[in-house]
Amino acid sequence: MQLTYKYTLRPTKHQAVTITTHLELCRRQYNYRLGERFKPGESTRTPLNARPLTAERVSVEEIYKNIPLTRVQTRDGRKKDGSGNPLTKKGDVFSNIDGGYVQKPTVQLADLKNTKRLFPDYKLLDCQVLQDVVHPGETSFPNFTTPDKNGNRRGQPKFKGFHYYKSLSYPKLDNLNIIKDKQNRIFIDLEKVGQVPMVFHRSIRKGFKVKTGTVIPEADGWHISLTLEDKTVPVTVAEIQPTAEHSMGIDLEIANYVYLSNGEQLENPRFLRASAENLARLQAKLASRVKGSKPWKILKGKISNLHQFVARSSRDFPFKTAHKLFDKCDVLVVEDLSLKNWTRGAPVKTDIEDGNLVYLPKGQAAKSGLNKSILDAAQGQFTTVIKYVAGKLGKSVVFVDPKGTSQCGNCLYKGPKDLSDRWHSCQCGESLERDENSAKLIKKIGLNYESGGASTSLKKALAWREKEACGLTVRP
């Protein structure tokens, strides 16, 4: 199992300057290595995924003249076979071209020696930190050039400006890097930086080992995220069959944060909406100040702190809510919502007048406000959090198809209903709030979940009802 703990750093002024310098050096190196990957496409003026080899504006030899065809192993490899011998030995020769493609990460890692020779400032950096700068391109660039299973490509990787490169990774740390002095003060030993004081507010669990660390600058100072791992703790997902006694359905909404199938509702804190007035006032003041002046920097810091408060509050509230909900049940049944579809723009409305196509008002202003409230509630983050919390507590989450979850939760009658109808009344006599009815229906659908099965739906719930009417099955 892997965990991530975040701690606050209290570096001295000299250490803060050193970390900032290291961060800037890594940013420059990242941009340079990313530019190397774009160089062939810019030289040929053709897309990187469709570059012809027979119609080059620049010769192939000119483009790849600085790329060696082979590389020589400088020391024995760390990986060993069953008898304890290294898989790769010093002096072994390997090709830098595999299947007709240049192994860019390998070539760039080997070129870091020349970087340190030409730019001595990079000798101030830990070698492992500098090597880690090359690795992000191994995922972002193939995602850009290679389509996924749906035929879609990710966006082009971007060069990072001064304010957009915000992490410094130490890929190899261990528990020995955390030091306690005679005054019981806790430090973390970072290579080429020194022993940095840290607020050790959470002790590391017994058996877990520190694997990596990422230093991050935020509005209130420096922080470090430590990745912990204990291979003896298995990563398992509890498979609990939902029953009416220990299960609970929840309806995600905007007016309230969630509505529970037992009739309770949790209020939506609306952190962004609550801070919007202060944020607008500070930004209006910032616009009237001279950029770079001392008053401008003070206001900029206040705005950053306010944004940080909203982000942290929106991240903390789902965790507290998830623990409260799992205190009441063992299985949570939730709608499998698609926020991407939920927050789309209003559809275009057209009409024909005098033989001409006319575009009608579509209410995009109202839809934009609704989308802002949806994203302020952070329902997507909440569904991710409850899965994480369920895994830690040994409990379970069942996701159901949201189609039809506004129908009657008592008799499963499917009747027409508009979004403006907030009260549910059915011919079976059921009369209650629409959101409470949806929560009860979501729970009823979740009771049809079979261990190891896919997301259940209202269609399966109707099939269960027919079997029950015929006496073919009994609910758990």
Side-chain angles (χ1 to χ4, degrees), residues 174-231:
D174 55 32
N175 295 39
L176 297 178
N177 288 93
I178 300 176
I179 304 169
K180 180 186 290 187
D181 66 359
K182 295 180 179 179
Q183 286 81 29
N184 291 329
R185 294 177 300 181
I186 306 297
F187 299 82
I188 184 165
D189 189 10
L190 301 178
E191 193 69 27
K192 299 294 182 74
V193 177
Q195 297 181 3
V196 183
M198 65 185 298
V199 181
F200 200 67
H201 66 281
R202 170 186 271 184
S203 60
I204 296 176
R205 295 186 180 184
K206 185 178 180 181
F208 280 84
K209 296 181 179 180
V210 179
K211 304 297 290 185
T212 64
T214 304
V215 178
I216 308 168
E218 294 188 1
D220 61 343
W222 295 92
H223 300 264
I224 186 168
S225 294
L226 299 180
T227 302
L228 315 176
E229 184 181 27
D230 187 356
K231 295 183 179 180

Side-chain angles (χ1 to χ4, degrees), residues 5-227:
Y5 285 178
K6 188 176 180 180
Y7 301 94
T8 301
L9 297 179
R10 301 293 188 206
T12 63
K13 290 184 179 181
H14 176 71
Q15 290 173 338
V17 171
T18 301
I19 297 175
T20 304
T21 303
H22 290 183
L23 194 63
E24 174 62 14
L25 290 173
C26 289
R27 183 187 71 85
R28 295 176 183 177
Q29 188 64 203
Y30 171 83
N31 289 338
Y32 176 74
R33 298 302 174 184
L34 184 61
E36 282 188 330
R37 291 174 178 265
F38 286 127
K39 185 177 180 180
E42 293 175 352
S43 301
T44 59
R45 302 297 179 92
T46 55
L48 293 172
N49 60 322
R51 185 170 65 252
L53 298 179
T54 59
E56 301 282 0
R57 292 178 179 268
V58 182
S59 64
V60 176
E61 292 79 7
E62 180 67 21
I63 296 174
Y64 298 104
K65 66 179 181 179
N66 294 325
I67 299 178
L69 296 178
T70 60
R71 67 182 187 276
V72 180
Q73 184 85 6
T74 58
R75 62 182 180 183
D76 292 344
R78 294 187 178 91
K79 295 183 179 181
K80 299 182 180 180
D81 56 16
S83 59
N85 298 320
L87 296 177
T88 57
K89 297 181 179 181
K90 182 178 180 180
D92 291 348
V93 179
F94 299 94
S95 175
N96 285 330
I97 300 177
D98 184 15
Y101 292 92
V102 177
Q103 300 301 304
K104 222 34 171 170
T106 304
V107 173
Q108 290 183 339
L109 287 173
D111 190 51
L112 291 177
K113 292 183 178 179
N114 296 329
T115 300
K116 290 186 176 181
R117 179 175 55 82
L118 296 173
F119 305 97
D121 288 346
Y122 282 96
K123 295 180 181 180
L124 302 174
L125 270 173
D126 178 34
C127 60
Q128 294 176 352
V129 174
L130 186 57
Q131 291 170 4
D132 192 72
V133 176
V134 179
H135 295 319
E138 297 180 24
T139 55
S140 61
F141 210 83
N143 290 339
F144 166 57
T145 57
T146 307
D148 58 12
K149 61 180 180 181
N150 298 322
N152 300 321
R153 290 187 177 88
R154 300 288 180 88
Q156 176 177 324
K158 297 180 179 180
F159 294 100
K160 302 291 186 180
F162 178 77
H163 297 286
Y164 297 94
Y165 194 89
K166 297 183 177 180
S167 63
L168 194 66
S169 297
Y170 291 83
K172 291 188 178 181
L173 294 179
D174 55 32
N175 295 39
L176 297 178
N177 288 93
I178 300 176
I179 304 169
K180 180 186 290 187
D181 66 359
K182 295 180 179 179
Q183 286 81 29
N184 291 329
R185 294 177 300 181
I186 306 297
F187 299 82
I188 184 165
D189 189 10
L190 301 178
E191 193 69 27
K192 299 294 182 74
V193 177
Q195 297 181 3
V196 183
M198 65 185 298
V199 181
F200 200 67
H201 66 281
R202 170 186 271 184
S203 60
I204 296 176
R205 295 186 180 184
K206 185 178 180 181
F208 280 84
K209 296 181 179 180
V210 179
K211 304 297 290 185
T212 64
T214 304
V215 178
I216 308 168
E218 294 188 1
D220 61 343
W222 295 92
H223 300 264
I224 186 168
S225 294
L226 299 180
T227 302

Side-chain angles (χ1 to χ4, degrees), residues 232-256:
T232 61
V233 179
V235 181
T236 58
V237 179
E239 292 288 350
I240 304 176
Q241 183 63 35
T243 62
E245 290 76 18
H246 64 68
S247 301
M248 185 164 58
I250 60 176
D251 179 47
L252 304 177
E253 50 176 317
I254 302 173
N256 298 298

Side-chain angles (χ1 to χ4, degrees), residues 317-338:
F317 185 76
F319 279 93
K320 293 181 178 178
T321 303
H323 281 280
K324 288 181 181 179
L325 295 178
F326 280 119
D327 287 341
K328 301 177 182 179
C329 64
D330 293 332
V331 180
L332 277 181
V333 187
V334 193
E335 293 176 290
D336 190 11
L337 296 174
S338 174

